[in-house]
Amino acid sequence: MTHGDVEAGPPLDRTHAFTALEAAVQSWGVDVPEDPGAGELAQLLDEVVERLGGDRSDEWSRSAAELLAQAAEAPRAVERLGSLLPAISLWHLRTALRHEAVARGQLAAESHPQPVASPL
């Protein structure tokens, strides 16, 4: 299963959440090393943030960069927790996935704007 596949809900364990986050980061064009840790995923998200934040004239990119910066904070929290509180770590990973998905959706909406309905 890759990020973007239709699934019934969020990942139910840390392993699947890490796998989904790896795939999400890869989909932004970043080379993800094999079996990255939470800190590495946060750094890779930071790279995407820098790339998107470089275009100051594009509001969509800035907004997506802000969401991805928030997403990068979640794996940092997981790294700090280590093996403590696995349920909290899973919550942080799911939060990162939600922020990433919203950022991707914003850029997709910008790429394919929907027509505005005209008033009758």
Side-chain angles (χ1 to χ4, degrees), residues 84-102:
L84 300 173
L85 305 170
I88 303 301
S89 293
L90 178 58
W91 179 84
H92 282 294
L93 292 169
R94 286 178 175 173
T95 298
L97 289 166
R98 275 193 309 276
H99 286 304
E100 186 279 331
V102 171

PDB file of all heavy atoms in Angstrom, residues 84-102:
ATOM      1  N   LEU A  84       9.032   5.191  24.205  1.00  0.00           N
ATOM      2  CA  LEU A  84       8.057   5.506  25.246  1.00  0.00           C
ATOM      3  C   LEU A  84       6.720   5.895  24.609  1.00  0.00           C
ATOM      4  O   LEU A  84       6.679   6.472  23.538  1.00  0.00           O
ATOM      5  CB  LEU A  84       8.545   6.664  26.111  1.00  0.00           C
ATOM      6  CG  LEU A  84       9.858   6.452  26.851  1.00  0.00           C
ATOM      7  CD1 LEU A  84      10.291   7.750  27.512  1.00  0.00           C
ATOM      8  CD2 LEU A  84       9.712   5.346  27.880  1.00  0.00           C
ATOM      9  N   LEU A  85       5.664   5.609  25.257  1.00  0.00           N
ATOM     10  CA  LEU A  85       4.324   6.038  24.863  1.00  0.00           C
ATOM     11  C   LEU A  85       4.014   5.786  23.376  1.00  0.00           C
ATOM     12  O   LEU A  85       3.816   6.722  22.599  1.00  0.00           O
ATOM     13  CB  LEU A  85       4.125   7.517  25.202  1.00  0.00           C
ATOM     14  CG  LEU A  85       4.378   7.903  26.657  1.00  0.00           C
ATOM     15  CD1 LEU A  85       4.396   9.404  26.816  1.00  0.00           C
ATOM     16  CD2 LEU A  85       3.340   7.271  27.558  1.00  0.00           C
ATOM     17  N   PRO A  86       3.962   4.527  22.966  1.00  0.00           N
ATOM     18  CA  PRO A  86       3.738   4.222  21.545  1.00  0.00           C
ATOM     19  C   PRO A  86       2.422   4.776  20.997  1.00  0.00           C
ATOM     20  O   PRO A  86       2.359   5.163  19.830  1.00  0.00           O
ATOM     21  CB  PRO A  86       3.778   2.701  21.478  1.00  0.00           C
ATOM     22  CG  PRO A  86       3.672   2.218  22.876  1.00  0.00           C
ATOM     23  CD  PRO A  86       4.119   3.328  23.766  1.00  0.00           C
ATOM     24  N   ALA A  87       1.386   4.853  21.809  1.00  0.00           N
ATOM     25  CA  ALA A  87       0.119   5.404  21.323  1.00  0.00           C
ATOM     26  C   ALA A  87       0.257   6.888  20.990  1.00  0.00           C
ATOM     27  O   ALA A  87      -0.308   7.369  20.000  1.00  0.00           O
ATOM     28  CB  ALA A  87      -0.988   5.189  22.346  1.00  0.00           C
ATOM     29  N   ILE A  88       1.035   7.603  21.794  1.00  0.00           N
ATOM     30  CA  ILE A  88       1.260   9.030  21.531  1.00  0.00           C
ATOM     31  C   ILE A  88       2.125   9.197  20.279  1.00  0.00           C
ATOM     32  O   ILE A  88       1.879  10.081  19.457  1.00  0.00           O
ATOM     33  CB  ILE A  88       1.917   9.724  22.744  1.00  0.00           C
ATOM     34  CG1 ILE A  88       1.063   9.554  23.996  1.00  0.00           C
ATOM     35  CG2 ILE A  88       2.198  11.193  22.449  1.00  0.00           C
ATOM     36  CD1 ILE A  88      -0.342  10.108  23.900  1.00  0.00           C
ATOM     37  N   SER A  89       3.108   8.330  20.116  1.00  0.00           N
ATOM     38  CA  SER A  89       3.941   8.379  18.910  1.00  0.00           C
ATOM     39  C   SER A  89       3.095   8.142  17.661  1.00  0.00           C
ATOM     40  O   SER A  89       3.256   8.831  16.652  1.00  0.00           O
ATOM     41  CB  SER A  89       5.043   7.321  18.979  1.00  0.00           C
ATOM     42  OG  SER A  89       5.953   7.632  19.993  1.00  0.00           O
ATOM     43  N   LEU A  90       2.183   7.180  17.733  1.00  0.00           N
ATOM     44  CA  LEU A  90       1.301   6.905  16.593  1.00  0.00           C
ATOM     45  C   LEU A  90       0.428   8.120  16.302  1.00  0.00           C
ATOM     46  O   LEU A  90       0.233   8.485  15.135  1.00  0.00           O
ATOM     47  CB  LEU A  90       0.450   5.665  16.873  1.00  0.00           C
ATOM     48  CG  LEU A  90      -0.549   5.278  15.784  1.00  0.00           C
ATOM     49  CD1 LEU A  90       0.165   5.022  14.455  1.00  0.00           C
ATOM     50  CD2 LEU A  90      -1.341   4.046  16.220  1.00  0.00           C
ATOM     51  N   TRP A  91      -0.070   8.769  17.334  1.00  0.00           N
ATOM     52  CA  TRP A  91      -0.880   9.973  17.135  1.00  0.00           C
ATOM     53  C   TRP A  91      -0.071  11.040  16.402  1.00  0.00           C
ATOM     54  O   TRP A  91      -0.568  11.680  15.472  1.00  0.00           O
ATOM     55  CB  TRP A  91      -1.373  10.508  18.489  1.00  0.00           C
ATOM     56  CG  TRP A  91      -2.194  11.747  18.339  1.00  0.00           C
ATOM     57  CD1 TRP A  91      -3.530  11.834  18.055  1.00  0.00           C
ATOM     58  CD2 TRP A  91      -1.719  13.094  18.429  1.00  0.00           C
ATOM     59  NE1 TRP A  91      -3.909  13.150  17.978  1.00  0.00           N
ATOM     60  CE2 TRP A  91      -2.821  13.952  18.212  1.00  0.00           C
ATOM     61  CE3 TRP A  91      -0.476  13.658  18.689  1.00  0.00           C
ATOM     62  CZ2 TRP A  91      -2.709  15.332  18.236  1.00  0.00           C
ATOM     63  CZ3 TRP A  91      -0.365  15.036  18.706  1.00  0.00           C
ATOM     64  CH2 TRP A  91      -1.478  15.854  18.484  1.00  0.00           C
ATOM     65  N   HIS A  92       1.189  11.226  16.792  1.00  0.00           N
ATOM     66  CA  HIS A  92       2.046  12.217  16.119  1.00  0.00           C
ATOM     67  C   HIS A  92       2.263  11.849  14.654  1.00  0.00           C
ATOM     68  O   HIS A  92       2.228  12.717  13.779  1.00  0.00           O
ATOM     69  CB  HIS A  92       3.398  12.343  16.830  1.00  0.00           C
ATOM     70  CG  HIS A  92       3.340  13.156  18.079  1.00  0.00           C
ATOM     71  ND1 HIS A  92       3.060  14.497  18.102  1.00  0.00           N
ATOM     72  CD2 HIS A  92       3.550  12.808  19.376  1.00  0.00           C
ATOM     73  CE1 HIS A  92       3.091  14.953  19.336  1.00  0.00           C
ATOM     74  NE2 HIS A  92       3.382  13.941  20.141  1.00  0.00           N
ATOM     75  N   LEU A  93       2.494  10.573  14.373  1.00  0.00           N
ATOM     76  CA  LEU A  93       2.694  10.146  12.986  1.00  0.00           C
ATOM     77  C   LEU A  93       1.431  10.365  12.159  1.00  0.00           C
ATOM     78  O   LEU A  93       1.494  10.815  11.012  1.00  0.00           O
ATOM     79  CB  LEU A  93       3.125   8.683  12.938  1.00  0.00           C
ATOM     80  CG  LEU A  93       4.522   8.407  13.498  1.00  0.00           C
ATOM     81  CD1 LEU A  93       4.744   6.908  13.650  1.00  0.00           C
ATOM     82  CD2 LEU A  93       5.593   9.029  12.604  1.00  0.00           C
ATOM     83  N   ARG A  94       0.287  10.059  12.740  1.00  0.00           N
ATOM     84  CA  ARG A  94      -0.978  10.296  12.032  1.00  0.00           C
ATOM     85  C   ARG A  94      -1.180  11.786  11.782  1.00  0.00           C
ATOM     86  O   ARG A  94      -1.689  12.189  10.735  1.00  0.00           O
ATOM     87  CB  ARG A  94      -2.147   9.746  12.844  1.00  0.00           C
ATOM     88  CG  ARG A  94      -2.237   8.239  12.831  1.00  0.00           C
ATOM     89  CD  ARG A  94      -3.379   7.788  13.693  1.00  0.00           C
ATOM     90  NE  ARG A  94      -3.589   6.353  13.628  1.00  0.00           N
ATOM     91  CZ  ARG A  94      -4.443   5.718  14.400  1.00  0.00           C
ATOM     92  NH1 ARG A  94      -5.159   6.382  15.297  1.00  0.00           N
ATOM     93  NH2 ARG A  94      -4.589   4.415  14.289  1.00  0.00           N
ATOM     94  N   THR A  95      -0.781  12.618  12.736  1.00  0.00           N
ATOM     95  CA  THR A  95      -0.877  14.069  12.569  1.00  0.00           C
ATOM     96  C   THR A  95      -0.013  14.518  11.397  1.00  0.00           C
ATOM     97  O   THR A  95      -0.442  15.333  10.573  1.00  0.00           O
ATOM     98  CB  THR A  95      -0.454  14.784  13.870  1.00  0.00           C
ATOM     99  OG1 THR A  95      -1.355  14.397  14.905  1.00  0.00           O
ATOM    100  CG2 THR A  95      -0.462  16.294  13.710  1.00  0.00           C
ATOM    101  N   ALA A  96       1.194  13.996  11.310  1.00  0.00           N
ATOM    102  CA  ALA A  96       2.082  14.331  10.186  1.00  0.00           C
ATOM    103  C   ALA A  96       1.439  13.941   8.865  1.00  0.00           C
ATOM    104  O   ALA A  96       1.481  14.708   7.895  1.00  0.00           O
ATOM    105  CB  ALA A  96       3.433  13.633  10.350  1.00  0.00           C
ATOM    106  N   LEU A  97       0.839  12.766   8.822  1.00  0.00           N
ATOM    107  CA  LEU A  97       0.188  12.308   7.593  1.00  0.00           C
ATOM    108  C   LEU A  97      -0.994  13.205   7.221  1.00  0.00           C
ATOM    109  O   LEU A  97      -1.194  13.512   6.042  1.00  0.00           O
ATOM    110  CB  LEU A  97      -0.269  10.853   7.735  1.00  0.00           C
ATOM    111  CG  LEU A  97       0.865   9.831   7.742  1.00  0.00           C
ATOM    112  CD1 LEU A  97       0.359   8.477   8.224  1.00  0.00           C
ATOM    113  CD2 LEU A  97       1.477   9.720   6.347  1.00  0.00           C
ATOM    114  N   ARG A  98      -1.758  13.649   8.197  1.00  0.00           N
ATOM    115  CA  ARG A  98      -2.890  14.542   7.922  1.00  0.00           C
ATOM    116  C   ARG A  98      -2.399  15.875   7.357  1.00  0.00           C
ATOM    117  O   ARG A  98      -2.944  16.372   6.368  1.00  0.00           O
ATOM    118  CB  ARG A  98      -3.708  14.797   9.193  1.00  0.00           C
ATOM    119  CG  ARG A  98      -4.751  13.757   9.489  1.00  0.00           C
ATOM    120  CD  ARG A  98      -5.740  14.214  10.557  1.00  0.00           C
ATOM    121  NE  ARG A  98      -5.117  14.719  11.770  1.00  0.00           N
ATOM    122  CZ  ARG A  98      -4.699  13.952  12.780  1.00  0.00           C
ATOM    123  NH1 ARG A  98      -4.832  12.639  12.724  1.00  0.00           N
ATOM    124  NH2 ARG A  98      -4.152  14.504  13.849  1.00  0.00           N
ATOM    125  N   HIS A  99      -1.371  16.457   7.983  1.00  0.00           N
ATOM    126  CA  HIS A  99      -0.840  17.735   7.492  1.00  0.00           C
ATOM    127  C   HIS A  99      -0.286  17.583   6.076  1.00  0.00           C
ATOM    128  O   HIS A  99      -0.494  18.461   5.229  1.00  0.00           O
ATOM    129  CB  HIS A  99       0.247  18.272   8.421  1.00  0.00           C
ATOM    130  CG  HIS A  99      -0.273  18.825   9.709  1.00  0.00           C
ATOM    131  ND1 HIS A  99      -1.215  19.828   9.783  1.00  0.00           N
ATOM    132  CD2 HIS A  99       0.019  18.515  10.990  1.00  0.00           C
ATOM    133  CE1 HIS A  99      -1.468  20.119  11.034  1.00  0.00           C
ATOM    134  NE2 HIS A  99      -0.736  19.319  11.799  1.00  0.00           N
ATOM    135  N   GLU A 100       0.403  16.499   5.826  1.00  0.00           N
ATOM    136  CA  GLU A 100       0.972  16.266   4.489  1.00  0.00           C
ATOM    137  C   GLU A 100      -0.149  16.133   3.460  1.00  0.00           C
ATOM    138  O   GLU A 100      -0.065  16.686   2.371  1.00  0.00           O
ATOM    139  CB  GLU A 100       1.864  15.018   4.511  1.00  0.00           C
ATOM    140  CG  GLU A 100       2.612  14.778   3.225  1.00  0.00           C
ATOM    141  CD  GLU A 100       1.799  14.116   2.133  1.00  0.00           C
ATOM    142  OE1 GLU A 100       0.857  13.349   2.456  1.00  0.00           O
ATOM    143  OE2 GLU A 100       2.093  14.356   0.945  1.00  0.00           O
ATOM    144  N   ALA A 101      -1.196  15.413   3.805  1.00  0.00           N
ATOM    145  CA  ALA A 101      -2.304  15.210   2.862  1.00  0.00           C
ATOM    146  C   ALA A 101      -3.012  16.530   2.552  1.00  0.00           C
ATOM    147  O   ALA A 101      -3.375  16.787   1.395  1.00  0.00           O
ATOM    148  CB  ALA A 101      -3.295  14.194   3.425  1.00  0.00           C
ATOM    149  N   VAL A 102      -3.186  17.378   3.553  1.00  0.00           N
ATOM    150  CA  VAL A 102      -3.819  18.682   3.321  1.00  0.00           C
ATOM    151  C   VAL A 102      -2.919  19.539   2.431  1.00  0.00           C
ATOM    152  O   VAL A 102      -3.402  20.207   1.507  1.00  0.00           O
ATOM    153  CB  VAL A 102      -4.148  19.390   4.657  1.00  0.00           C
ATOM    154  CG1 VAL A 102      -4.608  20.825   4.417  1.00  0.00           C
ATOM    155  CG2 VAL A 102      -5.207  18.607   5.416  1.00  0.00           C
TER     156      VAL A 102
END
